[in-house]
Amino acid sequence: MTLAELLTNNTKKAKEKVETTSKLLLDSSLPTDELLAFAENAKDPEKATCIEAIEVATRQNAKIADETVFAFVTKTLTENAPRVKWESAKVVGNIAHLFPTKLSKAISNLLTNSEYDGTVVRWAAAFALGEILKLKTKHNKDLLPAIEAICDREQENGVKKKYLDAIKKTKR
């Protein structure tokens, strides 16, 4: 079964597609660039499934992500589909430590998503920004006060907790 057949197969549930695709990424049967090439032109549901598969795989082994993956998910943070935004943010959170000198654009896009209406998008942005903050890079000079301000405005406790946990770990 080709990647296109797998991801557009309506008899398979999204979770099964994600599981299968992430396993293919992890065992190197599916190169990340092939998945990204498919995702680039896919409709939002398939694109989100591809990014979620990358998220599941990078949670287990961040090193499967290269600069191309990082650039792709940084860009897809700006897309309209909420699921694409939140899955992209989770990937950024999983792999940010691999690209500590290339975080500026991702941070900018995540800060924009931190103001999004949907809670899941804000939570994912909080997760990624928190992971970046914990890296203690040069970005923290501007990022820490920005996160503290977001945290003050945030009404949702789950999102706020993500920020507070990261702030606490950064100040140790």
Side-chain angles (χ1 to χ4, degrees):
M1 180 180 287
T2 68
L3 182 61
E5 289 168 344
L6 169 67
L7 294 172
T8 58
N9 182 338
N10 293 328
T11 64
K12 293 191 183 293
K13 297 199 181 308
K15 185 175 176 90
E16 187 181 350
K17 293 175 187 180
V18 167
E19 215 171 87
T20 303
T21 307
S22 66
K23 282 180 184 158
L24 293 171
L25 288 168
L26 286 167
D27 72 13
S28 302
S29 306
L30 174 62
T32 54
D33 56 344
E34 192 178 313
L35 182 63
L36 296 180
F38 176 84
E40 186 75 47
N41 301 310
K43 291 188 167 92
D44 288 341
E46 287 82 25
K47 183 180 287 188
T49 298
C50 291
I51 299 168
E52 185 177 357
I54 294 169
E55 190 278 325
V56 169
T58 57
R59 199 175 338 126
Q60 293 174 51
N61 179 8
K63 290 187 172 96
I64 67 154
D66 58 13
E67 282 191 45
T68 310
V69 171
F70 184 71
F72 180 79
V73 293
T74 296
K75 185 178 73 131
T76 54
L77 287 167
T78 64
E79 300 221 350
N80 291 329
R83 185 170 164 233
V84 171
K85 286 179 180 293
W86 83 60
E87 294 299 349
S88 298
K90 287 165 40 183
V91 174
V92 170
N94 290 347
I95 66 174
H97 66 280
L98 300 174
F99 307 99
T101 61
K102 299 179 178 352
L103 295 170
S104 297
K105 188 68 181 159
I107 290 170
S108 172
N109 292 348
L110 289 163
L111 287 170
T112 299
N113 286 354
S114 74
E115 304 296 331
Y116 191 79
D117 283 342
T119 304
V120 181
V121 171
R122 290 197 323 278
W123 182 93
F127 164 72
L129 288 167
E131 293 302 303
I132 292 168
L133 190 68
K134 289 184 235 173
L135 296 174
K136 299 181 181 176
T137 66
K138 65 180 173 77
H139 297 287
N140 281 23
K141 185 169 89 49
D142 297 322
L143 186 56
L144 181 59
I147 285 177
E148 289 172 333
I150 293 164
C151 200
D152 289 342
R153 292 190 302 270
E154 181 59 57
Q155 300 293 306
E156 188 65 44
N157 283 336
V159 177
K160 195 173 208 150
K161 185 177 178 340
K162 277 281 165 210
Y163 287 123
L164 292 172
D165 288 348
I167 292 168
K168 189 165 76 178
K169 286 181 179 154
T170 303
K171 290 187 174 176
R172 283 186 185 157

